[in-house]
Amino acid sequence: MRSGDWEHCWELAVRVQFFGMMQGLTVEPEQVVSKKSRKIIYRSLILVNPYELWGEELVERLWNLQERIEFLIAKILFHECIHVLIFLGKTLPAGFGQTDIFLEFRDLLELANSEKLCPERQEVRNCLRNLAGLSCSFSEKPGSLSELDLGLESDLNSEPDLESELKPVDELYEFLIHEKYSIKKTDMAFGLSWSNRKVARDYSKIAALKLGSCAVSDKKLWEAEVSRLRRALKKLYDKLDE
């Protein structure tokens, strides 16, 4: 697409691999600017991992192995392409035409951040903050989330930047809404039905892992907080559906 004298290009690579336990992954676009050719390139990558070939529900639906492989690749790729379209809408300059996918997601995110869902949102965010406080990667920093939660005094010469400390919580909250939207769209397209309970169960654990590991001594606290996040997330998803 062109904007004035500049050309905006989107490069998307897709890699299919049988490795690990993550079905799919979309890497947020890297922006490469070439002043000489007046071109901005947005490079992104989708990883597709159709490892769940022997799931009972899928085997009952598709007996043929080749059909199962093709079905899983199509489903995962569809899901990840929804993420790509949303990233595209967030990345491209203002004035570019937005897709229906991006506009729908933006409306859902606005609803998730509205006063109507304030209690459910705050409960999820509190869980994310507590998990961040238990994370080794946060607790080792001066003025970290763990210190803020526990009310500990920080060095007066290095006041904590509350905005930067809350950024991971904001990003993870949007990630959880992002996944809820993408899964619902994929289910509609492929005749599937993930319950809010299942989505909350799977993605509460993923969100916690994204914040980083905890100390061995805090493992039980971490597991209890993940369970609390799962329950809070289900309430939030149910409220969004209403």
Side-chain angles (χ1 to χ4, degrees):
M1 302 175 72
R2 300 199 66 86
S3 178
D5 295 333
W6 286 84
E7 185 178 4
H8 296 261
C9 302
W10 191 272
E11 291 185 358
L12 176 63
V14 177
R15 179 185 301 161
V16 179
Q17 62 181 34
F18 288 86
F19 180 77
M21 301 296 288
M22 182 73 75
Q23 282 195 349
L25 176 68
T26 300
V27 179
E28 291 196 45
E30 174 191 7
Q31 185 172 307
V32 181
V33 179
S34 172
K35 292 183 179 180
K36 184 177 180 180
S37 58
R38 302 190 69 79
K39 180 182 290 188
I40 301 176
I41 301 172
Y42 305 91
R43 289 179 176 155
S44 191
L45 170 69
I46 288 178
L47 295 177
V48 176
N49 180 19
Y51 74 92
E52 293 184 322
L53 285 171
W54 303 103
E56 183 179 348
E57 184 179 350
L58 186 60
V59 172
E60 290 179 357
R61 180 171 179 168
L62 298 168
W63 285 91
N64 183 275
L65 180 60
Q66 179 69 23
E67 289 180 356
R68 287 206 301 277
I69 292 175
E70 292 174 357
F71 179 87
L72 278 175
I73 290 175
K75 178 180 76 74
I76 296 168
L77 188 56
F78 184 95
H79 176 99
E80 299 304 329
C81 280
I82 292 173
H83 292 313
V84 169
L85 287 171
I86 293 172
F87 287 144
L88 179 64
K90 292 171 62 177
T91 304
L92 289 175
F96 279 72
Q98 302 291 6
T99 65
D100 290 342
I101 292 289
F102 175 76
L103 295 175
E104 282 182 358
F105 170 72
R106 189 179 63 182
D107 289 344
L108 184 67
L109 187 60
E110 287 178 1
L111 177 60
N113 286 318
S114 69
E115 287 300 314
K116 292 179 180 179
L117 277 80
C118 185
E120 292 81 10
R121 176 175 68 254
Q122 287 304 112
E123 191 174 355
V124 170
R125 288 177 61 85
N126 286 341
C127 291
L128 292 172
R129 283 199 65 188
N130 291 340
L131 284 165
L134 291 169
S135 168
C136 296
S137 57
F138 286 92
S139 60
E140 293 171 356
K141 297 178 182 178
S144 65
L145 279 166
S146 57
E147 290 180 346
L148 294 171
D149 286 341
L150 295 172
L152 301 178
E153 293 184 4
S154 301
D155 186 345
L156 293 176
N157 295 322
S158 58
E159 295 182 3
D161 184 351
L162 185 59
E163 184 176 345
S164 64
E165 296 291 354
L166 291 177
K167 187 178 179 182
V169 173
D170 294 336
E171 291 176 347
L172 275 176
Y173 181 74
E174 181 171 331
F175 161 77
L176 291 168
I177 303 303
H178 205 150
E179 291 297 340
K180 162 67 174 168
Y181 175 78
S182 299
I183 288 169
K184 186 173 182 179
K185 295 293 286 188
T186 305
D187 281 359
M188 291 173 61
F190 286 82
L192 303 170
S193 181
W194 273 37
S195 67
N196 286 337
R197 185 181 303 278
K198 176 174 170 57
V199 180
R201 182 197 68 199
D202 290 356
Y203 283 93
S204 58
K205 186 74 173 289
I206 291 173
L209 291 173
K210 278 177 172 284
L211 287 168
S213 60
C214 68
V216 175
S217 58
D218 291 332
K219 188 65 176 178
K220 288 186 177 179
L221 283 173
W222 185 86
E223 290 174 349
E225 204 58 46
V226 172
S227 296
R228 185 171 161 233
L229 174 60
R230 184 183 68 243
R231 294 190 295 270
L233 198 53
K234 182 184 180 300
K235 289 181 184 177
L236 176 68
Y237 288 162
D238 288 344
K239 194 73 173 180
L240 279 170
D241 287 342
E242 290 176 16

